Amino acid sequence: MKRSTIWSIVVVAVLALGGAGAYFYSSQQKQSQEQTASSSYSSHMQAGKEAVKAKKYSQAADEFDQAYQAKATPQAKNYQAQAENLADSVKLAKTTVKYASALNLAQKAQEQNGGYNVMTSQAKKLVKQLKAVKDNYDSEIKPLLNKAAKAMEDGNYDSAVSTYSSILDLPYINGAYYAKVRSNVKDLLKEAKSKQEDSSSSSSSSDSSSKSSRKESSSSSSSAASSSASSSSNHTEGSGTSNNDKVGGSTVTSRDVQQIRTRLDNLGESTAGWSPQDLINLFNYAYQQGHTTIDSITKDDVKGYLKSGK
């Protein structure tokens, strides 16, 4: 056999062995990566399930997402979507009065295709809770809020104080999903009590001034009445504001707040559950959109403000 032929055979053999070695190495490396991915996937899926049991839905959604990144399975994706809907539902119910939206998200979680059975069961309970919360708000709380707002508008502060207090006395009001309602009603009650005290003080001052005027001459009585009227007007104009009561550099008075509430009612927007500060913040938002007067506030301003997080 010629030497060149022998060398050719040797070269072919070496290349074959090298190719086999490379294939084996690549195969081993791929297998190792798959094992690592499977291990990561299982770890994150388990962590997500533990978070679900603790009702930490945002954390669970993050874990299921990481599991999906490790291994893109429909199960991980379905679990993630279900956890996100539950997290958004609970957050909305605890921080706003948008109970219809919160209920819709909970129902989506309950109906999730390929969802985690534990989450599905939790979603079912949440749907039941939110239906009761929404019913309480629509049938009892909201009518009371409207009644109190009308009393404030009419200057019947005693009635407003009594009505707001009755909301805070409701047997279920301290539940987790009434947090925003409680906060708003406490602010409204504070305003009503302030107006009540101002009204009482003004009445007492008026009675005292009347008794004094009968002992004085007609001219001094006229002067005192004029001074009293001026003082009362200044007091009313500046009352009922908070630390964040300026819009465009001007103070928003309690009278302005009531006008904003009336403007929203005229736009067909319910102001039940809106505190005075909420209304001032809305006006400030509208002002930044170029609507610098209360009468120029639009439905789009309301929608934009609510979307920004009331």
Side-chain angles (χ1 to χ4, degrees), residues 295-310:
D295 288 339
S296 66
I297 296 174
T298 67
K299 276 181 169 288
D300 288 339
D301 291 328
V302 179
K303 291 178 180 179
Y305 171 62
L306 291 174
K307 187 176 292 185
S308 68
K310 180 181 173 184

Side-chain angles (χ1 to χ4, degrees), residues 5-223:
T5 300
I6 295 173
W7 277 110
S8 296
I9 294 171
V10 171
V11 169
V12 171
V14 170
L15 289 174
L17 289 172
Y23 175 79
F24 178 77
Y25 175 76
S26 176
S27 178
Q28 288 293 101
Q29 188 176 42
K30 183 178 180 180
Q31 185 178 5
S32 176
Q33 289 174 344
E34 289 177 350
Q35 289 176 344
T36 299
S38 294
S39 176
S40 177
Y41 176 84
S42 298
S43 176
H44 285 301
M45 287 294 283
Q46 184 59 37
K49 290 178 179 180
E50 292 299 323
V52 166
K53 291 177 182 178
K55 295 185 179 181
K56 297 178 180 179
Y57 300 119
S58 293
Q59 181 182 329
D62 182 61
E63 292 291 350
F64 293 137
D65 177 57
Q66 292 186 61
Y68 184 80
Q69 299 306 318
K71 186 188 293 187
T73 68
Q75 185 182 57
K77 199 66 176 176
N78 291 336
Y79 283 17
Q80 179 191 359
Q82 190 176 32
E84 285 179 345
N85 280 329
L86 277 173
D88 291 343
S89 174
V90 171
K91 181 178 180 181
L92 207 57
K94 287 184 175 181
T95 61
T96 74
V97 294
K98 300 175 183 177
Y99 298 122
S101 297
L103 178 58
N104 182 55
L105 288 166
Q107 289 171 330
K108 283 184 178 180
Q110 181 183 347
E111 297 164 3
Q112 177 69 49
N113 289 328
Y116 179 34
N117 65 323
V118 175
M119 270 194 290
T120 300
S121 177
Q122 291 174 339
K124 184 177 181 180
K125 291 179 181 178
L126 181 60
V127 166
K128 184 177 180 180
Q129 287 179 310
L130 292 181
K131 281 183 177 179
V133 170
K134 183 177 181 300
D135 181 63
N136 285 336
Y137 182 77
D138 290 342
S139 64
E140 189 165 21
I141 297 174
K142 198 171 181 179
L144 288 173
L145 285 170
N146 289 333
K147 177 183 177 182
K150 183 64 168 61
M152 287 289 288
E153 186 177 347
D154 295 341
N156 191 353
Y157 306 122
D158 290 345
S159 176
V161 168
S162 176
T163 304
Y164 285 134
S165 296
S166 70
I167 296 175
L168 296 177
D169 288 337
L170 292 171
Y172 51 76
I173 201 66
N174 290 320
Y177 301 128
Y178 299 96
K180 184 61 177 177
V181 173
R182 288 197 305 274
S183 175
N184 286 344
V185 173
K186 285 178 181 178
D187 287 341
L188 291 165
L189 177 59
K190 183 177 180 181
E191 181 195 17
K193 284 183 175 179
S194 176
K195 299 293 288 183
Q196 182 186 45
E197 291 173 1
D198 289 345
S199 178
S200 176
S201 175
S202 176
S203 178
S204 297
S205 176
S206 178
D207 289 344
S208 176
S209 177
S210 178
K211 291 177 181 179
S212 176
S213 67
R214 287 196 293 268
K215 297 179 181 180
E216 297 174 353
S217 68
S218 176
S219 60
S220 63
S221 174
S222 177
S223 175

